Every structure is written in structure tokens, then in C-alpha cells.
Amino acid sequence: MSVDALLLLSFGGPEGEADVRPFLENVTRGRGVPPERLDEVAQHYLHFGGVSPINRLNRDLIEAVRAAGVGLPVYFGNRNWHPMIEDTVGAMRADGVRRALVFPTSAYGGYSACRQYDEDILRARAAVGDDAPELVKIRHFFDHPGFVLPFADAVRAAAAGFDSYRLVFTAHSIPNSFDATAGPAEWGGHLYSRQVAEAARLVALEVGVAEYDVVWQSRSGPPQIPWLEPDIVDHVDALHAKGVDNVVVCPVGFVSDHLEVIWDLDNEARERAESHGMGFARAATPGPDPRFADMVVELVQEHLSGVVPRKLSPFGTAGCTVNGEFCAVACCEPPARRPR
Ligand SMILES: CC1=C(CCC(=O)O)c2cc3nc(cc4[nH]c(cc5[nH]c(cc1n2)c(C)c5CCC(=O)O)c(CCC(=O)O)c4C)C(CCC(=O)O)=C3C
Ligand SMILES: [Fe+2]
């Protein structure tokens, strides 16, 4: 297969105070997130001057992927903030791009982590019209050494100051109902939580830690709807009650230092741990590691020249579809949302 560009597709984040509200409205349109939760999240962004690190980190990653020799023009588009994917795909068409690979900045399956990026591709191609470039999405990479090994080194570095510690992995919580439908139906559901557990297992194996926990963070949505639990902050309390004195948190659900990482972990979870007199260290995310950019190049080559896929898990390959098609019928389909 030949392609003439790579598109890095991400979530997007605000780049100043005035962006925060319109960004949050884009994220939560029709999603039933209570207004109190939005006010709270707006405060998290305003704490950092209204600037999420996510766009800068993505621009840095694009530079690193170019420098790693990807050999294709690299474009940048987001779901929720500028540069918006519709505009980027329009620019790609104007530049004469016929077919592009899409690298999504999420390693996992599930509605929020995978299918919603397919919806973005569908929407952008529809907006651009008949001669929109063909867009081929790259597979889930939660089990790629370029994702797992930087996390493992980061855990070792974070734990360096502790004689003993409990290793805790976190990923973004999602509604239980989203997890139930995650993945092709014949794979039995729960693909998101199973991939997160598998990535955690691979990182722990590499570090040489036999006992660890997998927990969740950054829950939103109305309280009566069940989401994946336990929450990291509650879990810190539980570890304290068990007599754990140091905790190392590895944000395995995230590719880079998103706002959820620098607020929910570096502020909320850390404060809770320190209130108990516990030591707390957070492992770095893999996005800025040169091995991560090399992984992106390798994933491109998997498509172009049949380089043997490097996968550390026995899980099937998913997420790689053309023009925003879903992996399978009803794959990662969100249950109908209740109107608010
Ligand atoms: C699984 C998952 C990922 C990982 C996969 C991936 O990386 O894509 C992820 C990433 C991200 N989520 C982000 C931001 C937000 N997510 C929200 C809300 C939600 N996230 C959800 C899930 C996920 N989210 C869900 C089920 C909701 C409820 C509403 C809905 O059903 O959609 C809200 C609304 C306010 C709130 O309630 O928190 C915000 C502001 C940012 C940008 C951060 C930055 O600026 O650095 C990033 C990378
Ligand atoms: Fe989110």
C-alpha cells in the first residue's frame, strides 16, 4: 500500500484562558456531563493559565517523528480544538494528498479511545467532500515495545528513591457500559479494561514487580451511572489503611502528560498521599521518549512494507480501519445516552 502523508489525530486542548469554555463545550456536547463537573474541570485548566500541554506535546511528537525518518509529510488534526481535523483534512486535499495513514494518540480500544476517532475521520471526510483523502487508521499500540519499555524505565526512575513501594497503574475511567461493549463482540467485550490490564502486566513484568494494582481516574458524568473503579484517590486511602508507605503511579492509560495526568495525579492523588504521610512518585509518560517516535515510524512501516508487527501481548490486532469504518458491527458502540 502506498500513502502520501501521515496524520496525527488527537483530542485537542485549550491554549489560553479564552479557549477553555468553548473547548469544554466541544468535548461534552450531547454527553450528559453535569454543569458542576464542567465548572470543576474548567478550574483545573485555569490553574495552568488555560493551557493544556497536549497540543505542544503533539507538536513535539510530530517533530520527533519527522526527525526519526518517517519520510512522509506529517499533518496535525484534533477532535475538540484547533487545528480541527476537518480543517486539516481540507488542507491535505488542497495539498493533493490521496491517501494517508492516521496515528491516533490513544493506545487502546473502546468508544472514547478508538471508535470516537473513527467518528472524527468519518466527519472530517464528509465535511471535505468527494475527493477527501482516504484515511487509514493505525492499530492499537498498547502492547508495542515503544509504548511499554519507556513506561517501564519511567517506573524504575520514579521508584529510585524508595526502599519499598506499591506500584499502581491508572487509566482514564469510562462508564462500565462503555467497557462492556468495547471491542468486536466475538472477543467478549471489555477490550479497554483488558488492554489496560495487559499493558500494566507487560510494564510490571519488564520492571520485575510481581504485585501491583490497576485503578482508574478522572471519572466524570452523573454519579448514578457506574464507571470503572476504584478511583486512584480512593485507592491511595486504601493503600494507606493497609500500611503501604510509598506509592508509584504509572499513568499507563495516557501517551503523554495530559491535563488529567498533571492535575488528577500530580495534584489530587499526590496531595492525598502526602496527607497520609506517604511517599508519592508519578512515572513519566512515553510520548517524549525517542522510542515512542520510533514506534510511530515502525507502525507506519508495518503498513507500507509489511515490517513484522512487534507486539508483546497475545491480543488480536484492532483499530486499523479505512475511512472511519468501525472494526466490526457494533464494535465499541456506546449504549444510547439518556437525554438530560
Ligand atoms: C478513555 C478516555 C481517554 C483516553 C483515550 C484518549 O486519549 O483519547 C480520554 C482522554 C482525554 N480526555 C481529555 C479531556 C476530557 N475528557 C472529558 C470527558 C470524558 N473522557 C472520557 C474518556 C477518555 N478521555 C469519557 C468517557 C468522558 C465523559 C464524556 C464523554 O463521554 O465523552 C472531558 C469533559 C470534562 C470531564 O468530565 O472531565 C474533558 C475535558 C483529554 C484532553 C486533556 C488535556 O487537555 O490535556 C484527553 C487526552
Ligand atoms: Fe477524557
mmCIF file of all heavy atoms in Angstrom, residues 91-124:
data_model
loop_
_atom_site.group_PDB
_atom_site.id
_atom_site.type_symbol
_atom_site.label_atom_id
_atom_site.label_comp_id
_atom_site.label_asym_id
_atom_site.label_seq_id
_atom_site.Cartn_x
_atom_site.Cartn_y
_atom_site.Cartn_z
ATOM 1 N N ALA A 91 -6.988 20.798 4.221
ATOM 2 C CA ALA A 91 -5.649 21.241 3.782
ATOM 3 C C ALA A 91 -4.908 20.100 3.091
ATOM 4 O O ALA A 91 -4.184 20.322 2.108
ATOM 5 C CB ALA A 91 -4.848 21.741 4.988
ATOM 6 N N MET A 92 -5.103 18.891 3.569
ATOM 7 C CA MET A 92 -4.444 17.737 2.940
ATOM 8 C C MET A 92 -4.955 17.562 1.505
ATOM 9 O O MET A 92 -4.168 17.342 0.585
ATOM 10 C CB MET A 92 -4.712 16.457 3.765
ATOM 11 C CG MET A 92 -4.007 16.472 5.118
ATOM 12 S SD MET A 92 -4.601 15.215 6.271
ATOM 13 C CE MET A 92 -3.820 13.760 5.606
ATOM 14 N N ARG A 93 -6.264 17.676 1.345
ATOM 15 C CA ARG A 93 -6.808 17.565 -0.007
ATOM 16 C C ARG A 93 -6.221 18.667 -0.896
ATOM 17 O O ARG A 93 -5.800 18.409 -2.021
ATOM 18 C CB ARG A 93 -8.338 17.674 0.000
ATOM 19 C CG ARG A 93 -8.901 17.522 -1.411
ATOM 20 C CD ARG A 93 -10.334 17.960 -1.533
ATOM 21 N NE ARG A 93 -10.517 19.333 -1.063
ATOM 22 C CZ ARG A 93 -11.663 19.967 -1.029
ATOM 23 N NH1 ARG A 93 -12.759 19.358 -1.422
ATOM 24 N NH2 ARG A 93 -11.744 21.208 -0.594
ATOM 25 N N ALA A 94 -6.175 19.896 -0.380
ATOM 26 C CA ALA A 94 -5.640 21.020 -1.174
ATOM 27 C C ALA A 94 -4.182 20.769 -1.557
ATOM 28 O O ALA A 94 -3.733 21.190 -2.624
ATOM 29 C CB ALA A 94 -5.763 22.322 -0.374
ATOM 30 N N ASP A 95 -3.448 20.043 -0.699
ATOM 31 C CA ASP A 95 -2.047 19.719 -0.998
ATOM 32 C C ASP A 95 -1.922 18.510 -1.927
ATOM 33 O O ASP A 95 -0.803 18.087 -2.232
ATOM 34 C CB ASP A 95 -1.285 19.402 0.306
ATOM 35 C CG ASP A 95 -1.095 20.638 1.184
ATOM 36 O OD1 ASP A 95 -1.330 21.765 0.699
ATOM 37 O OD2 ASP A 95 -0.718 20.467 2.361
ATOM 38 N N GLY A 96 -3.047 17.929 -2.307
ATOM 39 C CA GLY A 96 -3.006 16.795 -3.237
ATOM 40 C C GLY A 96 -2.811 15.437 -2.577
ATOM 41 O O GLY A 96 -2.502 14.460 -3.261
ATOM 42 N N VAL A 97 -3.014 15.353 -1.266
ATOM 43 C CA VAL A 97 -2.888 14.044 -0.589
ATOM 44 C C VAL A 97 -4.056 13.156 -1.022
ATOM 45 O O VAL A 97 -5.211 13.565 -0.951
ATOM 46 C CB VAL A 97 -2.892 14.225 0.949
ATOM 47 C CG1 VAL A 97 -2.949 12.871 1.654
ATOM 48 C CG2 VAL A 97 -1.677 15.025 1.392
ATOM 49 N N ARG A 98 -3.744 11.942 -1.469
ATOM 50 C CA ARG A 98 -4.777 10.990 -1.896
ATOM 51 C C ARG A 98 -5.069 9.956 -0.817
ATOM 52 O O ARG A 98 -6.173 9.480 -0.675
ATOM 53 C CB ARG A 98 -4.355 10.259 -3.189
ATOM 54 C CG ARG A 98 -4.040 11.156 -4.379
ATOM 55 C CD ARG A 98 -5.199 12.080 -4.768
ATOM 56 N NE ARG A 98 -6.471 11.364 -4.824
ATOM 57 C CZ ARG A 98 -7.651 11.898 -4.572
ATOM 58 N NH1 ARG A 98 -7.747 13.157 -4.206
ATOM 59 N NH2 ARG A 98 -8.743 11.154 -4.646
ATOM 60 N N ARG A 99 -4.010 9.535 -0.113
ATOM 61 C CA ARG A 99 -4.219 8.525 0.914
ATOM 62 C C ARG A 99 -3.215 8.755 2.044
ATOM 63 O O ARG A 99 -2.022 8.938 1.794
ATOM 64 C CB ARG A 99 -4.022 7.143 0.332
ATOM 65 C CG ARG A 99 -4.351 6.049 1.320
ATOM 66 C CD ARG A 99 -3.708 4.755 0.946
ATOM 67 N NE ARG A 99 -4.615 3.856 0.278
ATOM 68 C CZ ARG A 99 -4.234 3.003 -0.679
ATOM 69 N NH1 ARG A 99 -3.000 2.976 -1.076
ATOM 70 N NH2 ARG A 99 -5.113 2.194 -1.207
ATOM 71 N N ALA A 100 -3.720 8.738 3.264
ATOM 72 C CA ALA A 100 -2.853 9.000 4.419
ATOM 73 C C ALA A 100 -3.094 7.970 5.510
ATOM 74 O O ALA A 100 -4.210 7.458 5.664
ATOM 75 C CB ALA A 100 -3.124 10.400 4.973
ATOM 76 N N LEU A 101 -2.045 7.675 6.257
ATOM 77 C CA LEU A 101 -2.188 6.899 7.485
ATOM 78 C C LEU A 101 -2.538 7.864 8.606
ATOM 79 O O LEU A 101 -2.124 9.032 8.587
ATOM 80 C CB LEU A 101 -0.877 6.182 7.810
ATOM 81 C CG LEU A 101 -0.545 4.994 6.908
ATOM 82 C CD1 LEU A 101 0.876 4.510 7.189
ATOM 83 C CD2 LEU A 101 -1.547 3.863 7.123
ATOM 84 N N VAL A 102 -3.288 7.369 9.588
ATOM 85 C CA VAL A 102 -3.682 8.186 10.727
ATOM 86 C C VAL A 102 -3.127 7.550 11.991
ATOM 87 O O VAL A 102 -3.429 6.389 12.288
ATOM 88 C CB VAL A 102 -5.223 8.277 10.841
ATOM 89 C CG1 VAL A 102 -5.619 9.132 12.040
ATOM 90 C CG2 VAL A 102 -5.822 8.834 9.550
ATOM 91 N N PHE A 103 -2.310 8.312 12.735
ATOM 92 C CA PHE A 103 -1.834 7.841 14.041
ATOM 93 C C PHE A 103 -2.677 8.520 15.109
ATOM 94 O O PHE A 103 -2.572 9.731 15.327
ATOM 95 C CB PHE A 103 -0.353 8.180 14.254
ATOM 96 C CG PHE A 103 0.138 7.780 15.623
ATOM 97 C CD1 PHE A 103 0.400 6.458 15.916
ATOM 98 C CD2 PHE A 103 0.297 8.734 16.627
ATOM 99 C CE1 PHE A 103 0.822 6.074 17.195
ATOM 100 C CE2 PHE A 103 0.717 8.359 17.901
ATOM 101 C CZ PHE A 103 0.980 7.027 18.180
ATOM 102 N N PRO A 104 -3.542 7.748 15.814
ATOM 103 C CA PRO A 104 -4.332 8.344 16.891
ATOM 104 C C PRO A 104 -3.507 8.325 18.179
ATOM 105 O O PRO A 104 -2.809 7.351 18.448
ATOM 106 C CB PRO A 104 -5.536 7.391 17.001
ATOM 107 C CG PRO A 104 -5.033 6.065 16.536
ATOM 108 C CD PRO A 104 -3.827 6.304 15.646
ATOM 109 N N THR A 105 -3.616 9.372 18.981
ATOM 110 C CA THR A 105 -2.786 9.445 20.201
ATOM 111 C C THR A 105 -3.444 8.710 21.367
ATOM 112 O O THR A 105 -3.407 9.169 22.504
ATOM 113 C CB THR A 105 -2.524 10.901 20.604
ATOM 114 O OG1 THR A 105 -3.791 11.548 20.779
ATOM 115 C CG2 THR A 105 -1.694 11.622 19.575
ATOM 116 N N SER A 106 -4.050 7.581 21.078
ATOM 117 C CA SER A 106 -4.604 6.716 22.103
ATOM 118 C C SER A 106 -4.213 5.294 21.758
ATOM 119 O O SER A 106 -4.340 4.872 20.614
ATOM 120 C CB SER A 106 -6.127 6.852 22.144
ATOM 121 O OG SER A 106 -6.674 5.751 22.845
ATOM 122 N N ALA A 107 -3.741 4.564 22.764
ATOM 123 C CA ALA A 107 -3.168 3.233 22.526
ATOM 124 C C ALA A 107 -4.209 2.123 22.537
ATOM 125 O O ALA A 107 -3.887 0.982 22.216
ATOM 126 C CB ALA A 107 -2.121 2.951 23.604
ATOM 127 N N TYR A 108 -5.445 2.448 22.922
ATOM 128 C CA TYR A 108 -6.426 1.432 23.328
ATOM 129 C C TYR A 108 -7.678 1.412 22.471
ATOM 130 O O TYR A 108 -7.946 2.329 21.706
ATOM 131 C CB TYR A 108 -6.838 1.705 24.780
ATOM 132 C CG TYR A 108 -5.685 1.558 25.747
ATOM 133 C CD1 TYR A 108 -4.967 2.677 26.187
ATOM 134 C CD2 TYR A 108 -5.290 0.304 26.197
ATOM 135 C CE1 TYR A 108 -3.900 2.545 27.060
ATOM 136 C CE2 TYR A 108 -4.223 0.158 27.077
ATOM 137 C CZ TYR A 108 -3.530 1.273 27.498
ATOM 138 O OH TYR A 108 -2.471 1.142 28.354
ATOM 139 N N GLY A 109 -8.480 0.350 22.678
ATOM 140 C CA GLY A 109 -9.815 0.262 22.110
ATOM 141 C C GLY A 109 -10.840 0.905 23.034
ATOM 142 O O GLY A 109 -10.493 1.453 24.093
ATOM 143 N N GLY A 110 -12.104 0.810 22.632
ATOM 144 C CA GLY A 110 -13.184 1.399 23.425
ATOM 145 C C GLY A 110 -13.783 2.584 22.689
ATOM 146 O O GLY A 110 -13.219 3.056 21.697
ATOM 147 N N TYR A 111 -14.925 3.045 23.183
ATOM 148 C CA TYR A 111 -15.585 4.150 22.473
ATOM 149 C C TYR A 111 -14.724 5.417 22.491
ATOM 150 O O TYR A 111 -14.373 5.952 21.444
ATOM 151 C CB TYR A 111 -16.974 4.449 23.065
ATOM 152 C CG TYR A 111 -17.606 5.628 22.364
ATOM 153 C CD1 TYR A 111 -17.955 5.536 21.021
ATOM 154 C CD2 TYR A 111 -17.788 6.848 23.013
ATOM 155 C CE1 TYR A 111 -18.489 6.628 20.336
ATOM 156 C CE2 TYR A 111 -18.323 7.938 22.350
ATOM 157 C CZ TYR A 111 -18.667 7.824 21.008
ATOM 158 O OH TYR A 111 -19.169 8.912 20.347
ATOM 159 N N SER A 112 -14.358 5.894 23.683
ATOM 160 C CA SER A 112 -13.630 7.164 23.774
ATOM 161 C C SER A 112 -12.234 7.059 23.187
ATOM 162 O O SER A 112 -11.710 8.020 22.625
ATOM 163 C CB SER A 112 -13.519 7.611 25.228
ATOM 164 O OG SER A 112 -14.778 7.565 25.854
ATOM 165 N N ALA A 113 -11.600 5.900 23.328
ATOM 166 C CA ALA A 113 -10.201 5.754 22.934
ATOM 167 C C ALA A 113 -10.028 5.329 21.485
ATOM 168 O O ALA A 113 -8.950 5.512 20.921
ATOM 169 C CB ALA A 113 -9.512 4.742 23.853
ATOM 170 N N CYS A 114 -11.055 4.760 20.865
ATOM 171 C CA CYS A 114 -10.889 4.273 19.491
ATOM 172 C C CYS A 114 -12.032 4.703 18.580
ATOM 173 O O CYS A 114 -11.847 5.463 17.647
ATOM 174 C CB CYS A 114 -10.733 2.752 19.495
ATOM 175 S SG CYS A 114 -10.468 2.057 17.845
ATOM 176 N N ARG A 115 -13.239 4.219 18.866
ATOM 177 C CA ARG A 115 -14.321 4.461 17.914
ATOM 178 C C ARG A 115 -14.588 5.955 17.702
ATOM 179 O O ARG A 115 -14.945 6.383 16.605
ATOM 180 C CB ARG A 115 -15.597 3.769 18.393
ATOM 181 C CG ARG A 115 -16.774 3.944 17.437
ATOM 182 C CD ARG A 115 -17.980 3.166 17.957
ATOM 183 N NE ARG A 115 -19.187 3.492 17.220
ATOM 184 C CZ ARG A 115 -19.940 2.584 16.590
ATOM 185 N NH1 ARG A 115 -19.607 1.317 16.585
ATOM 186 N NH2 ARG A 115 -21.045 2.960 15.975
ATOM 187 N N GLN A 116 -14.412 6.764 18.745
ATOM 188 C CA GLN A 116 -14.676 8.196 18.581
ATOM 189 C C GLN A 116 -13.686 8.818 17.584
ATOM 190 O O GLN A 116 -14.023 9.768 16.889
ATOM 191 C CB GLN A 116 -14.613 8.908 19.941
ATOM 192 C CG GLN A 116 -15.823 9.802 20.165
ATOM 193 C CD GLN A 116 -15.807 10.559 21.469
ATOM 194 O OE1 GLN A 116 -15.231 10.089 22.466
ATOM 195 N NE2 GLN A 116 -16.426 11.710 21.492
ATOM 196 N N TYR A 117 -12.467 8.265 17.509
ATOM 197 C CA TYR A 117 -11.523 8.756 16.499
ATOM 198 C C TYR A 117 -11.973 8.328 15.100
ATOM 199 O O TYR A 117 -11.758 9.052 14.124
ATOM 200 C CB TYR A 117 -10.089 8.286 16.815
ATOM 201 C CG TYR A 117 -9.517 8.985 18.049
ATOM 202 C CD1 TYR A 117 -9.421 8.342 19.270
ATOM 203 C CD2 TYR A 117 -9.118 10.315 17.978
ATOM 204 C CE1 TYR A 117 -8.929 8.986 20.398
ATOM 205 C CE2 TYR A 117 -8.624 10.980 19.103
ATOM 206 C CZ TYR A 117 -8.539 10.305 20.309
ATOM 207 O OH TYR A 117 -8.067 10.963 21.419
ATOM 208 N N ASP A 118 -12.627 7.153 14.992
ATOM 209 C CA ASP A 118 -13.211 6.761 13.704
ATOM 210 C C ASP A 118 -14.307 7.750 13.306
ATOM 211 O O ASP A 118 -14.422 8.147 12.145
ATOM 212 C CB ASP A 118 -13.788 5.342 13.777
ATOM 213 C CG ASP A 118 -12.722 4.289 14.003
ATOM 214 O OD1 ASP A 118 -11.601 4.466 13.499
ATOM 215 O OD2 ASP A 118 -13.014 3.290 14.687
ATOM 216 N N GLU A 119 -15.123 8.127 14.292
ATOM 217 C CA GLU A 119 -16.191 9.102 14.015
ATOM 218 C C GLU A 119 -15.593 10.430 13.541
ATOM 219 O O GLU A 119 -16.150 11.091 12.660
ATOM 220 C CB GLU A 119 -17.047 9.328 15.265
ATOM 221 C CG GLU A 119 -17.866 8.097 15.665
ATOM 222 C CD GLU A 119 -18.694 8.294 16.942
ATOM 223 O OE1 GLU A 119 -18.560 9.343 17.606
ATOM 224 O OE2 GLU A 119 -19.454 7.380 17.274
ATOM 225 N N ASP A 120 -14.459 10.809 14.125
ATOM 226 C CA ASP A 120 -13.800 12.053 13.700
ATOM 227 C C ASP A 120 -13.383 11.957 12.222
ATOM 228 O O ASP A 120 -13.513 12.916 11.460
ATOM 229 C CB ASP A 120 -12.548 12.327 14.543
ATOM 230 C CG ASP A 120 -12.867 12.515 16.020
ATOM 231 O OD1 ASP A 120 -13.989 12.931 16.342
ATOM 232 O OD2 ASP A 120 -11.974 12.250 16.847
ATOM 233 N N ILE A 121 -12.841 10.799 11.859
ATOM 234 C CA ILE A 121 -12.389 10.594 10.479
ATOM 235 C C ILE A 121 -13.585 10.656 9.528
ATOM 236 O O ILE A 121 -13.538 11.329 8.488
ATOM 237 C CB ILE A 121 -11.634 9.243 10.369
ATOM 238 C CG1 ILE A 121 -10.296 9.341 11.117
ATOM 239 C CG2 ILE A 121 -11.447 8.828 8.917
ATOM 240 C CD1 ILE A 121 -9.549 8.014 11.254
ATOM 241 N N LEU A 122 -14.669 9.975 9.901
ATOM 242 C CA LEU A 122 -15.890 9.999 9.081
ATOM 243 C C LEU A 122 -16.389 11.432 8.890
ATOM 244 O O LEU A 122 -16.711 11.854 7.773
ATOM 245 C CB LEU A 122 -17.009 9.224 9.783
ATOM 246 C CG LEU A 122 -17.087 7.722 9.581
ATOM 247 C CD1 LEU A 122 -18.113 7.129 10.545
ATOM 248 C CD2 LEU A 122 -17.496 7.424 8.133
ATOM 249 N N ARG A 123 -16.460 12.170 9.999
ATOM 250 C CA ARG A 123 -16.996 13.531 9.967
ATOM 251 C C ARG A 123 -16.111 14.439 9.120
ATOM 252 O O ARG A 123 -16.592 15.213 8.300
ATOM 253 C CB ARG A 123 -17.082 14.061 11.409
ATOM 254 C CG ARG A 123 -17.940 15.286 11.612
ATOM 255 C CD ARG A 123 -17.938 15.740 13.069
ATOM 256 N NE ARG A 123 -16.618 16.148 13.516
ATOM 257 C CZ ARG A 123 -15.882 15.499 14.415
ATOM 258 N NH1 ARG A 123 -16.361 14.424 15.012
ATOM 259 N NH2 ARG A 123 -14.686 15.926 14.752
ATOM 260 N N ALA A 124 -14.801 14.299 9.284
ATOM 261 C CA ALA A 124 -13.885 15.170 8.545
ATOM 262 C C ALA A 124 -13.962 14.876 7.048
ATOM 263 O O ALA A 124 -13.975 15.799 6.231
ATOM 264 C CB ALA A 124 -12.462 14.982 9.058
#
